Amino acid sequence: HSAIFIFSDSSLLFVNSEACRLTKFTQQELLATSFESLLASEERTSEGVTYPPSHSPSGTIKRFEGRLHCADGSDKWADFFLGSITFEGKAATIATAFDITERKQAEVQLIKYQQQLKNLTAQLSISEEHERRKMATVLHDSIGATLAFCKIKLGELQAGIPSDSHLGMFKEIRQMLSKAIQDTRSLTVELSPPILYELGLIPALEWLTEKMMTEHHINFEFHDDTTTKQLEDEVKVM
């Protein structure tokens, strides 16, 4: 069902029972007021809504979504269709309104859920980055340092053995340790580049550009406006 309002110069001339049900005003109360007074302030100032131009050709339909003030102080969202008609021999405007309050409430709730999801995603991203930094620190400070220490001690042990019978084995083990150290450093950088936190976003982006060029043999150009950028860590990570 649609609520029907017929008005001229905003003065209401006719309303149907659905208009009364929607606004909770009686027919007499509605006919004693104006169409403009039923609309929320932002809808009143909409061009061509409250007062459609008199020169609009007959049959032209205008549509907008707006809020209606109700007798109990609440507002109802409605989908309005406005057109020009002749009422009791005079030019008038007819407005039909469909109650879309539930849909609008659902839209507001959806936006709220989307914002909550966005916040949760941001929190998850920050938590993941904290874990990556923690793992990178362990790799660098603990595992990487232990491997490097083992390599040094192995070199000292190798120098103290006069026989050449085990030199090949020592060399092979040291090469394996060197690779393990390099892999640990690479994994540390992949998990959480230290340059991002030690030097900042711009040096990190410059480093990333060079890294991409070296690894993928694709030419990149990085341009910076040289202005200071005060960004939160989560933004830098992203």
Side-chain angles (χ1 to χ4, degrees):
H1 299 287
S2 61
I4 297 176
F5 304 85
I6 298 177
F7 58 94
S8 178
D9 293 330
S10 191
S11 296
L12 284 166
L13 307 175
F14 171 85
V15 293
N16 67 349
S17 59
E18 183 63 20
C20 298
R21 188 200 66 79
L22 180 62
T23 63
K24 295 182 173 60
F25 286 107
T26 66
Q27 186 179 46
Q28 290 74 18
E29 288 173 331
L30 286 174
L31 293 178
T33 186
S34 66
F35 182 69
E36 179 186 12
S37 65
L38 295 175
L39 297 175
S41 57
E42 57 268 27
E43 277 78 41
R44 296 180 194 177
T45 57
S46 299
E47 183 179 356
V49 171
T50 306
Y51 302 102
S54 58
H55 60 271
S56 296
S58 179
T60 298
I61 302 296
K62 298 181 183 296
R63 181 182 179 182
F64 73 101
E65 293 181 356
R67 290 181 294 117
L68 276 170
H69 292 314
C70 300
D72 61 359
S74 65
D75 285 347
K76 287 289 185 69
W77 275 97
D79 192 3
F80 291 94
F81 293 83
L82 281 77
S84 300
I85 63 167
T86 299
F87 182 77
E88 296 181 346
K90 296 181 180 180
T93 299
I94 182 171
T96 58
F98 298 88
D99 189 355
I100 58 171
T101 303
E102 290 186 2
R103 192 195 83 192
K104 281 293 185 179
Q105 290 173 342
E107 289 176 356
V108 171
Q109 194 64 34
L110 178 60
I111 293 173
K112 181 181 178 180
Y113 288 149
Q114 289 174 337
Q115 185 61 44
Q116 290 176 343
L117 180 60
K118 180 180 179 182
N119 293 338
L120 288 173
T121 302
Q123 291 175 11
L124 179 61
S125 177
I126 294 170
S127 297
E128 289 177 344
E129 175 57 20
H130 287 165
E131 288 302 313
R132 285 195 296 269
R133 289 187 67 182
K134 185 177 179 180
M135 292 174 63
T137 300
V138 171
L139 282 171
H140 181 269
D141 295 346
S142 180
I143 299 176
T146 301
L147 288 172
F149 183 74
C150 288
K151 183 180 178 181
I152 293 172
K153 287 299 180 181
L154 189 64
E156 293 176 355
L157 181 61
Q158 179 182 347
I161 297 177
S163 173
D164 294 338
S165 59
H166 301 298
L167 287 180
M169 184 181 297
F170 274 109
K171 183 178 180 181
E172 183 179 356
I173 294 174
R174 292 194 69 189
Q175 287 175 346
M176 292 173 64
L177 283 172
S178 295
K179 186 178 185 305
I181 292 169
Q182 183 59 45
D183 290 344
T184 301
R185 289 173 179 170
S186 298
L187 185 56
T188 299
V189 171
E190 291 294 334
L191 280 171
S192 184
I195 190 173
L196 177 62
Y197 300 98
E198 294 173 3
L199 300 181
L201 178 63
I202 302 307
L205 289 173
E206 291 173 341
W207 164 83
L208 182 62
T209 302
E210 295 176 1
K211 182 173 182 291
M212 294 291 287
M213 291 175 64
T214 302
E215 293 182 356
H216 302 287
H217 308 290
I218 300 175
N219 289 328
F220 289 91
E221 290 186 2
F222 175 72
H223 299 275
D224 174 35
D225 60 11
T226 70
T227 61
T228 302
K229 299 165 183 64
Q230 301 294 338
L231 299 175
E232 298 294 333
D233 280 350
E234 57 266 28
V235 179
K236 295 178 182 179
V237 170
M238 190 63 67

